[in-house]
Amino acid sequence: MGLLDNNYQRRGVLRTPHEKKGFFKFWEVYGRHMWKLIEVNLLYILFCLPVVTIGPATAAMTKVCRNFSQERPVFLLHDFLDSFKKNLKQGFIMSFIDILFTAGFIVGVPSYYMWAQQNSMIYIPFMISLMCMLTFFMMHFYIYIMISSTNLKMWQILKNSFYLVSLGLKPSLWTLLISFLVIVPCYLFLWPSLFVIIFWPFSFLCFVICFNCYPVVRKHVIQPYYDKRGEVNPEFAYQTGEQIFEDKSAEETPVKEPKKKKKKTIR
């Protein structure tokens, strides 16, 4: 049983550090995977064309970008499709929740602002609704990471993401700032930036989110899971430069594996 996916056990790859910090380290890691992330952006747009699949497609992109940001091995198309299928249900549920909340904010925030022009006391509910909107937006920095990395129930993911916004306030705010710096120009100059949108912003922002916020999820959600069970987090196997295993299949004899009961895991 493990908290994370089984990529560590399945793939004979070198262990590499998974904790990446700092501005220059971000660009170092991003630069190594930039061309693959362009492919991810194209895949994401392709899978979002039916519109209703935006949630599952976002979960799939998050899974791939999480692995890139943490320097894990990635089989791009396989991992994307696998995560898309596994997270289909929760992706659809999250899409429905987003529609409801977005519609509420689109109607509520401008309405409160308009009413506040006539009655200054309305600025209080206006500010509350504005803060709720920003909090809900920042919750997404953690929601899709947990959808693609855990098998927690949807209500647990939403509850955890709400607390993680404050527990990881610094990365949450930095990610919020970067999101605005990317989203606002793309929105204001939509047609001139259309070509760029096809190749870059979705996977870039997803990479930023995973790079900044996945360590928060690991610290407050993933590691406590292993600590509670007295198990070793398989991610720590990547902290040295040694190989996880050597290919000695020729020296081994096949062993019939016993059937295992399905247990709660975090992918």
Side-chain angles (χ1 to χ4, degrees), residues 7 20 30 42 61 111 113 133 157 177 229 250:
N7 290 344
K20 303 297 180 182
Y30 179 78
L42 289 167
M61 178 174 64
S111 297
Y113 179 75
M133 184 179 69
I157 290 173
L177 174 62
R229 288 156 180 75

Side-chain angles (χ1 to χ4, degrees), residues 94-108 132-133 136 139-140 158:
M94 195 60 224
S95 294
F96 180 71
I97 293 172
D98 280 337
I99 291 171
L100 290 180
F101 275 79
T102 301
F105 290 132
I106 289 175
V107 174
C132 288
M133 184 179 69
F136 183 70
M139 284 171 62
H140 285 71
L158 293 171

Side-chain angles (χ1 to χ4, degrees), residues 136-196:
F136 183 70
F137 181 80
M138 287 190 286
M139 284 171 62
H140 285 71
F141 302 159
Y142 304 97
I143 288 171
Y144 282 100
I145 289 177
M146 283 187 282
I147 287 177
S148 62
S149 302
T150 77
N151 64 354
L152 296 173
K153 297 183 183 301
M154 200 66 230
W155 69 267
Q156 294 174 310
I157 290 173
L158 293 171
K159 181 188 72 173
N160 288 344
S161 64
F162 176 77
Y163 289 118
L164 289 174
V165 168
S166 56
L167 289 171
L169 187 59
K170 184 177 178 180
S172 297
L173 292 176
W174 273 115
T175 306
L176 179 66
L177 174 62
I178 295 170
S179 298
F180 283 161
L181 291 176
V182 173
I183 293 171
V184 172
C186 287
Y187 175 76
L188 294 177
F189 306 101
L190 180 60
W191 291 111
S193 62
L194 193 59
F195 180 79
V196 176

Side-chain angles (χ1 to χ4, degrees), residues 8 15-21 66 69-72 211 214-215 218 223 233-240:
Y8 300 113
R15 293 171 173 169
T16 54
H18 61 271
E19 187 70 41
K20 303 297 180 182
K21 296 181 179 179
R66 182 204 72 181
S69 72
Q70 302 303 302
E71 298 278 64
R72 299 187 194 176
F211 185 91
Y214 178 72
R218 182 174 58 232
Q223 190 55 46
N233 186 338
E235 284 189 280
F236 294 143
Y238 277 72
Q239 289 189 0
T240 67

